[in-house]
Amino acid sequence: DAKTTQPPSMDCAEGRAANLPCNHSTISGNEYVYWYRQIHSQGPQYIIHGLKNNETNEMASLIITEDRKSSTLILPHATLRDTAVYYCIVRPYQTGANNLFFGTGTRLTVIP
Amino acid sequence: EAGVAQSPRYKIIEKRQSVAFWCNPISGHATLYWYQQILGQGPKLLIQFQNNGVVDDSQLPKDRFSAERLKGVDSTLKIQPAKLEDSAVYLCASSFGRIGELFFGEGSRLTVL
């Protein structure tokens, strides 16, 4: 079962930062926070993951609160191609447990 | 680098018929997954393989669904007989090992009439 709570939908103006929140209040010490996105008619695509420190890559930044009970995915300059469903997933980092439990995610619409 | 290949992209069948989906993972990826995604929902794991062995098939409806990964490379997912509620996108994913990023194919969309 998904252990995360996300808003069902959000809008963002093109060129602005998109901030997608995720609540994971029951996260365990060995669980990472992963973000995937799914563009229409495509399979999910990995974005970023983190344990407790903030992370940044070429796609996005991940901000995790100090108590690790929530996080925010930041797309710094949203484009129309960022319109997708974004999934926040908590996942233990151990062998044999590489499954991903997807919830219903947040549908982000980037508006011109 | 070639991604995860799936076929067919679309399939329409009548209930009680059978269907098979094929997946070829990224070269060198030992772990392969089949997910089912019903419209409006997130993907749900059906089965996970490590090489040619099953790691997790607890969510696979074994009375009608079967999957195999002979030789530990490509895989086939079969549904027989199909029900209306099997209408969904069937996603294949692979990863290098049991830990790490999953790479998904574009999926096979099944419509059962």
Side-chain angles (χ1 to χ4, degrees), chain B residues 51-108:
Chain B
N51 296 309
N52 59 354
V54 175
V55 174
D56 182 358
D57 64 355
S58 58
Q59 299 299 309
L60 188 73
K62 299 180 184 67
D63 57 335
R64 298 182 301 106
F65 286 64
S66 64
E68 60 182 11
R69 192 183 183 198
L70 301 176
K71 302 180 182 178
V73 181
D74 55 352
S75 176
T76 302
L77 176 70
K78 296 180 181 178
I79 307 174
Q80 182 179 12
K83 293 185 175 181
L84 297 177
E85 59 261 35
D86 298 332
S87 293
V89 175
Y90 291 86
L91 294 160
C92 180
S94 69
S95 62
F96 181 72
R98 287 190 169 187
I99 299 174
E101 177 186 341
L102 271 66
F103 294 84
F104 285 82
E106 292 189 314
S108 295

Side-chain angles (χ1 to χ4, degrees), chain A residues 36-92:
Chain A
Y36 279 72
R37 74 178 182 183
Q38 188 171 24
I39 295 170
H40 183 64
S41 295
Q42 297 183 19
Q45 175 192 24
Y46 166 82
I47 301 173
I48 198 167
H49 75 281
L51 182 62
K52 52 184 176 182
N53 297 321
N54 298 337
E55 302 289 343
T56 296
N57 63 19
E58 65 277 6
M59 290 182 67
S61 295
L62 174 60
I63 308 299
I64 302 174
T65 58
E66 191 168 345
D67 63 8
R68 303 212 317 126
K69 293 184 177 182
S70 65
S71 60
T72 301
L73 179 75
I74 301 172
L75 308 178
H77 306 286
T79 70
L80 298 179
R81 287 175 292 184
D82 292 322
T83 292
V85 178
Y86 287 77
Y87 296 98
C88 170
I89 301 164
V90 296
R91 173 189 180 195

Side-chain angles (χ1 to χ4, degrees), chain A residues 36 38 91 93 98-100, chain B residues 33 35 37 98-100 102:
Chain A
Y36 279 72
Q38 188 171 24
R91 173 189 180 195
Y93 198 78
N98 211 28
N99 183 19
L100 296 173
Chain B
Y33 315 77
Y35 283 82
Q37 186 172 24
R98 287 190 169 187
I99 299 174
L102 271 66

